Amino acid sequence: MKKRSDPVPAKQRLDQMLSKLKEHDFRITPQRLAVLKVLAASDGHPSVERIYDTVKAQFPTTSVATIYKTVALLKQENEVIEISFPDGSNRYDGNKPYPHPHLICTRCKKIVDPDLSSLEDLAKEVTKETGFQITTHRVDFFGLCRECQ
Amino acid sequence: MKKRSDPVPAKQRLDQMLSKLKEHDFRITPQRLAVLKVLAASDGHPSVERIYDTVKAQFPTTSVATIYKTVALLKQENEVIEISFPDGSNRYDGNKPYPHPHLICTRCKKIVDPDLSSLEDLAKEVTKETGFQITTHRVDFFGLCRECQ
DNA sequence: TTTTCTGCAAATGCTTTGCATGGGA
DNA sequence: TCCCATGCAAAGCATTTGCAGAAAA
């Protein structure tokens, strides 16, 4: 059975991202394409460093600044979300660029997307109780994955 | 009616924090006491900068490093929690130093603690679905408060 | 008196910026 | 050709660290 938390096919996401950039008259450079490919899959929710390493394997002269600039552009276009941590290690998700819960293993740093049907109820409960107009959320659970226990 | 999300009296929290530090043979300096007082109340969930400004009013020679060191000590002793943001602006809560949901106004930066009875169900759902052993969580909702809408 | 804490300044680590050169469209 | 993007190095910023002098206990 297909779950809501399952990843979207990377090719499909890549095409969506490319369309968005073209539509807004941004240029498709080889470096950008390489960054997009990593983020379209977003396997394990990559860090800037991991994107950089991957892109550098193909284009050795690439600078980190370019990765940061491209990621910033995609954030601005709502094509990636940023998951930030207290220790200053940011991770990204371009496969599902909308708020969704994460499950983070504190030992192996793996990040998994769980299915959480009751999350909508939570948001409703908050709105009802506080009168806030909720626009987005961040829901992360930390713990040990099955393998690390 | 008293809600779970209501703040603990600041004096009470201060005493708890002082006990913990004495118990572990840390010295109570005037600067530390001043920091503790701010964090015991944690009104609006203060930033390091705001703690610094408050302490400096009483002890003008205080350095930011001392604030950071004291906050780090309290984090280590589980007497404050850190709420980090992508833009690098960390906020702290020493009044309720255990994981709990936050409601953040994106306009006036106010942080409120809502009552969320169904949050426990969520954690259980995650454990059941994924086999993760959940140790902590972070649940933040972003939006506009009643005044800012 | 002993040991820890403070305050200063330098160092760190991630991220951003400025600018000359290069390369999409 | 015309701009935008790249790559490099310098600048920013919050936070951490090292160390000599100050002050708890």
Side-chain angles (χ1 to χ4, degrees):
Chain A
M1 176 201 166
K2 193 177 177 310
K3 291 187 207 161
R4 184 178 37 170
S5 57
D6 287 339
V8 171
K11 177 75 177 73
Q12 185 180 319
R13 269 301 293 148
L14 179 61
D15 289 343
Q16 288 173 3
M17 294 167 116
L18 285 171
S19 301
K20 175 74 79 76
L21 291 191
K22 284 173 187 163
E23 204 175 294
H24 290 35
D25 291 317
F26 293 108
R27 294 179 181 168
I28 311 301
T29 65
Q31 295 88 334
R32 277 187 178 167
L33 184 59
V35 174
L36 291 195
K37 278 180 182 168
V38 177
L39 286 172
S42 283
D43 211 35
H45 303 69
S47 60
V48 163
E49 198 191 342
R50 228 197 74 206
I51 302 171
Y52 180 45
D53 289 343
T54 308
V55 175
K56 227 180 5 182
Q58 224 184 124
F59 305 99
T61 63
T62 306
S63 79
V64 233
T66 297
I67 311 295
Y68 278 105
K69 283 167 186 167
T70 303
V71 169
L73 173 65
L74 292 169
K75 265 198 289 184
Q76 172 198 306
E77 297 294 315
N78 294 310
E79 293 294 325
V80 298
I81 54 166
E82 188 175 63
I83 315 163
S84 68
F85 293 95
D87 61 31
S89 63
N90 288 357
R91 307 275 289 267
Y92 298 87
D93 190 343
N95 187 265
K96 292 189 284 168
Y98 45 82
H100 61 273
H102 293 108
L103 198 43
I104 299 144
C105 180
T106 49
R107 190 160 164 274
C108 70
K109 308 297 176 197
K110 174 169 48 193
I111 301 183
V112 165
D113 296 342
D115 259 323
L116 244 48
S117 53
S118 50
L119 186 57
E120 280 98 59
D121 303 337
L122 250 199
K124 276 179 207 145
E125 191 181 340
V126 176
T127 303
K128 195 176 156 197
E129 195 207 325
T130 64
F132 261 62
Q133 197 177 91
I134 310 293
T135 51
T136 181
H137 62 256
R138 168 168 179 170
V139 175
D140 295 342
F141 291 91
F142 298 85
L144 291 175
C145 68
R146 236 190 284 259
E147 292 74 44
C148 288
Q149 282 172 28
Chain B
M1 177 202 166
K2 194 178 175 310
K3 290 187 210 164
R4 184 176 39 166
S5 57
D6 287 339
V8 171
K11 176 78 178 74
Q12 185 180 318
R13 268 302 291 150
L14 179 61
D15 289 343
Q16 288 172 4
M17 294 168 115
L18 285 170
S19 302
K20 175 72 79 74
L21 291 191
K22 285 174 186 161
E23 205 175 294
H24 290 34
D25 294 316
F26 293 109
R27 293 178 182 171
I28 310 301
T29 65
Q31 295 89 335
R32 276 187 179 168
L33 185 59
V35 174
L36 292 194
K37 278 179 182 166
V38 178
L39 286 172
S42 284
D43 212 34
H45 303 68
S47 61
V48 161
E49 197 189 343
R50 229 197 72 206
I51 303 171
Y52 180 46
D53 289 343
T54 309
V55 175
K56 227 178 6 181
Q58 226 185 121
F59 305 100
T61 63
T62 305
S63 78
V64 233
T66 297
I67 312 294
Y68 277 107
K69 283 167 186 168
T70 303
V71 169
L73 174 65
L74 292 169
K75 264 197 291 182
Q76 171 197 306
E77 297 294 316
N78 294 309
E79 293 294 325
V80 300
I81 54 165
E82 190 175 62
I83 314 164
S84 67
F85 293 95
D87 61 32
S89 65
N90 288 357
R91 307 276 289 269
Y92 298 88
D93 189 343
N95 187 266
K96 290 189 285 168
Y98 44 82
H100 60 273
H102 294 107
L103 199 42
I104 299 145
C105 179
T106 49
R107 189 160 164 273
C108 69
K109 308 296 175 196
K110 176 167 49 190
I111 302 184
V112 165
D113 295 342
D115 259 323
L116 244 47
S117 53
S118 50
L119 186 56
E120 281 97 60
D121 303 337
L122 249 201
K124 278 180 207 144
E125 190 181 341
V126 176
T127 303
K128 194 176 156 198
E129 196 208 324
T130 63
F132 261 63
Q133 197 175 90
I134 309 294
T135 51
T136 182
H137 62 255
R138 168 171 179 167
V139 175
D140 295 342
F141 291 91
F142 299 85
L144 291 174
C145 69
R146 237 189 285 258
E147 293 74 44
C148 289
Q149 280 170 31

